[in-house]
Amino acid sequence: FENAADSVFVHTVEGKILLVNETACLNYQYTRSELLNMTVLELSTPGQAGYIRKKITQLIKNGNTRFETSHRIKNGSIINVDIKAQEMNWFGQQVIMSICRDITKRIKDEQALIENEIKLREIIQQTNDGIVVFNEQKKVVIWNKGAENIFGVPAKDLINKSIVDHQYRFVPPKLKDRDLLDKVVSGIISFETPEIFYTLRDEEVVGPDFHKIIETVLFPIKLCDYHLFGAVIRDVTEKKNHEKQILQLSADKDRFMQILAHDLRSPFNALLGFSNLLLSNLHKSDMQVIEYQISIQKKIIQKTYNLLEDLLLWSKSQMGLLKFDPQEIVLQEIYRELVDDLKENISSKRISIRFIEKERTIITADINMIKTLLRNLIINAIKFTNPDGAINIYTERNDDFLTVAISDNGVGISKENQLKLWDLATPYTTPGTEDEPGTGLGLIICKELVEKHRGTIWVESEPGKGSNFKFSLPLKL
């Protein structure tokens, strides 16, 4: 009794203390005589007296009871106690023996654990990354706000639901194999595929209205006698798109330097050669020869000028320096102006060109960009149309869009080469039907200008059957 680790009180049903052990004196900092002149209710903290009386009544009814409460020791400090009380006969008198264990440290530790759990839960909830945890039964036990934002599914719809069902819901169509997914998860839980842990992996996820790339790392969480399995998920769709853009810009830069190094060097070498030839034979050649050499130089200069114009326009577009000034314009008026500017090109190949419009259409667009767009497409059609061929330009209005088509009966383009038309990284250019040169930039610039207007451009063509270049623009911006 005296050497017990816990405080022991023997008291009457009314609470009068009859006997205490030395441990009680030490824990409560009272002398034995002080405690023997007190009741157990005096040790209780304010507001606890009614609760204690209720427990004593319960003890009298059942013979024993156990509960937790708080006591005040002599110096005023509060301690938490776990009390086990039972009736006993003490020298012919029915009394109560209460064994009081100080659980203050345990309560503080439990409170600290709860606070830490709350903090951890809040951190998990507030992080932008998705955090998903599932158990050995393949059930989701944690699904934070980050995961909700990535997948668009609230936690209430997934907690205690199958992780396999979740994966099946969002995998791309080509990977929709539930048995395979279940086998993969089983391999994780059984540690048959330990190489999957702590490895950063990129995966595609497809939802009803999204297609994303996520970065995932999976790891086991060892508890007492079982494991949980956690995954940190990050939406890297935007990052991957930026990486693609950087690669594209790098390819564009390489192509730009290639054009500068090759396509500009060649014409200048030709100009230098013809200039030297002209100077050395200036007094020997007749006017017809001189005129012929100058005409060739003019063509080279014109080609080089066109190339520089294309390069300047393309570089401005890449740097976002193209001034965009949309206004109401009438396509037929632009067509007439362009045909007049290109009449020498058209007449030299005896090509007939027509503009077919069912109704007079006004669109909102940047007039200079539309002129450049149509000029490039018409020049392209002239270039690949045989002499005495035909080019038709027609428009078709459909709801809020206008589609313009430039159709020729020229040489046409294979499916393979059609894919190269719009990509600077895989430039495609061939001489025209009369060896007219090209820069490989014209159609790429057309694509940039159409996309600037939130439109689309495409080609329909077969070798030997001509080409039909089409672009569609919104009527209003």
Side-chain angles (χ1 to χ4, degrees):
F1 177 81
E2 284 295 332
N3 297 322
D6 298 322
S7 302
V8 181
F9 297 88
V10 176
H11 56 89
T12 65
V13 173
E14 291 77 21
K16 176 71 174 69
I17 299 174
L18 303 172
L19 186 67
V20 295
N21 68 347
E22 183 63 23
T23 305
C25 299
L26 293 172
N27 288 344
Y28 286 82
Q29 299 179 3
Y30 288 104
T31 64
R32 193 183 300 269
S33 61
E34 286 175 326
L35 286 172
L36 293 176
N37 285 303
M38 296 171 65
T39 69
V40 290
L41 295 177
E42 291 178 80
L43 297 175
S44 299
T45 54
Q48 291 290 307
Y51 175 69
I52 299 299
R53 289 192 184 96
K54 182 180 178 181
K55 288 296 180 182
I56 290 174
T57 302
Q58 187 181 60
L59 180 146
I60 293 171
K61 181 179 178 182
N62 300 327
N64 60 71
T65 188
R66 182 173 184 173
F67 60 95
E68 292 181 5
T69 186
S70 56
H71 281 171
R72 188 189 299 275
I73 64 177
K74 187 175 183 178
N75 68 4
S77 300
I78 305 296
I79 62 171
N80 299 101
V81 289
D82 174 56
I83 299 177
K84 289 190 289 185
Q86 65 181 42
E87 280 190 294
M88 63 178 288
N89 188 289
W90 190 64
F91 297 109
Q93 180 183 2
Q94 286 300 112
V95 296
I96 298 170
M97 182 174 68
S98 296
I99 301 172
C100 303
R101 174 167 294 177
D102 187 347
I103 58 171
T104 306
K105 184 178 184 305
R106 192 200 81 189
I107 294 293
K108 286 182 179 179
D109 289 345
E110 287 176 353
Q111 187 60 37
L113 186 63
I114 291 170
E115 289 176 0
N116 287 335
E117 185 179 345
I118 291 170
K119 290 176 184 176
L120 180 60
R121 187 181 295 117
E122 190 63 22
I123 290 169
I124 289 173
Q125 285 299 324
Q126 295 305 323
T127 183
N128 289 328
D129 290 340
I131 296 179
V132 177
V133 178
F134 59 94
N135 59 24
E136 292 173 338
Q137 289 71 46
K138 305 176 185 176
K139 303 294 184 184
V140 177
V141 294
I142 293 178
W143 182 268
N144 76 335
K145 288 181 180 177
E148 288 183 351
N149 294 334
I150 291 171
F151 295 99
V153 180
K156 63 182 179 64
D157 292 347
L158 274 173
I159 296 298
N160 293 323
K161 302 291 178 60
S162 167
I163 188 67
V164 177
D165 289 346
H166 162 67
Q167 286 184 302
Y168 183 79
R169 180 176 176 182
F170 291 104
V171 293
K174 61 184 178 182
L175 299 177
K176 277 194 180 294
D177 185 332
R178 189 183 297 274
D179 291 339
L180 178 61
L181 290 172
D182 189 75
K183 186 177 179 181
V184 170
V185 175
S186 296
I188 292 169
I189 292 170
S190 62
F191 289 86
E192 290 178 7
T193 53
E195 66 277 3
I196 202 170
F197 297 124
Y198 307 109
T199 302
L200 206 59
R201 293 173 293 118
D202 287 345
E203 299 174 357
E204 285 184 84
V205 290
V206 180
D209 56 356
F210 66 81
H211 189 139
K212 297 180 179 180
I213 300 172
I214 58 171
E215 199 173 66
T216 305
V217 62
L218 187 68
F219 52 92
I221 305 168
K222 182 171 176 55
L223 298 175
C224 295
D225 55 356
Y226 66 97
H227 283 86
L228 295 176
F229 301 89
V232 178
I233 302 165
R234 178 169 294 176
D235 184 349
V236 293
T237 308
E238 190 173 338
K239 173 189 169 186
K240 294 298 179 181
N241 288 338
H242 285 163
E243 288 175 358
K244 286 181 181 178
Q245 290 174 3
I246 290 170
L247 290 173
Q248 183 63 50
L249 287 172
S250 177
D252 291 350
K253 181 203 72 175
D254 292 343
R255 173 58 179 157
F256 188 82
M257 297 306 296
Q258 179 186 346
I259 291 170
L260 288 177
H262 180 268
D263 291 15
L264 284 179
R265 183 181 179 185
S266 297
F268 277 112
N269 280 338
L271 284 173
L272 287 171
F274 273 108
S275 297
N276 290 332
L277 182 64
L278 186 61
L279 282 172
S280 61
N281 294 287
L282 185 61
H283 299 291
K284 301 176 185 178
S285 302
D286 57 32
M287 288 303 297
Q288 281 186 326
V289 173
I290 293 172
E291 185 178 347
Y292 172 72
Q293 291 176 341
I294 291 175
S295 69
I296 293 176
Q297 286 182 321
K298 180 177 179 293
K299 287 181 180 179
I300 296 172
I301 291 168
Q302 185 63 53
K303 175 194 172 184
T304 308
Y305 176 80
N306 292 341
L307 174 59
L308 289 172
E309 282 282 288
D310 283 349
L311 287 171
L312 179 62
L313 186 62
W314 176 80
S315 62
K316 280 184 176 180
S317 172
Q318 295 302 299
M319 293 185 290
L321 298 178
L322 275 183
K323 184 181 177 183
F324 187 58
D325 183 22
Q327 55 186 284
E328 289 190 348
I329 59 175
V330 180
L331 280 183
Q332 193 169 32
E333 294 174 1
I334 295 175
Y335 159 76
R336 288 181 185 140
E337 180 184 332
L338 291 176
V339 168
D340 188 59
D341 291 343
L342 298 170
K343 61 184 178 183
E344 184 178 338
N345 304 61
I346 297 167
S347 60
S348 67
K349 296 180 80 170
R350 303 177 302 281
I351 293 171
S352 67
I353 183 166
R354 293 189 305 160
F355 184 83
I356 304 164
E357 188 177 42
K358 292 180 181 178
E359 58 179 312
R360 186 172 182 268
T361 306
I362 298 174
I363 65 169
T364 303
D366 183 292
I367 189 167
N368 292 320
M369 291 188 185
I370 295 300
K371 282 182 179 179
T372 301
L373 170 61
L374 284 172
R375 181 185 292 111
N376 278 353
L377 291 175
I378 293 171
I379 288 174
N380 193 68
I382 294 170
K383 176 182 172 183
F384 293 104
T385 298
N386 290 307
D388 301 309
I391 297 171
N392 292 316
I393 302 170
Y394 56 89
T395 66
E396 182 178 350
R397 182 171 177 169
N398 184 12
D399 296 329
D400 296 327
F401 285 83
L402 178 73
T403 299
V404 180
I406 294 89
S407 176
D408 64 64
N409 60 358
V411 296
I413 312 166
S414 68
K415 291 288 184 185
E416 179 185 357
N417 288 330
Q418 286 177 35
L419 299 175
K420 302 176 184 177
L421 295 176
W422 319 106
D423 187 0
L424 193 66
T426 55
Y428 173 73
T429 180
T430 58
T433 54
E434 291 195 343
D435 291 326
E436 298 100 321
T439 65
L441 284 175
L443 291 176
I444 293 169
I445 291 170
C446 288
K447 182 173 182 286
E448 297 266 356
L449 298 178
V450 168
E451 290 177 349
K452 190 79 172 176
H453 287 79
R454 302 202 302 271
T456 54
I457 187 169
W458 67 99
V459 63
E460 298 167 358
S461 182
E462 289 184 39
K465 295 184 179 181
S467 299
N468 198 3
F469 281 88
K470 295 182 177 182
F471 62 89
S472 182
L473 302 177
L475 293 170
K476 297 286 185 182
L477 290 175

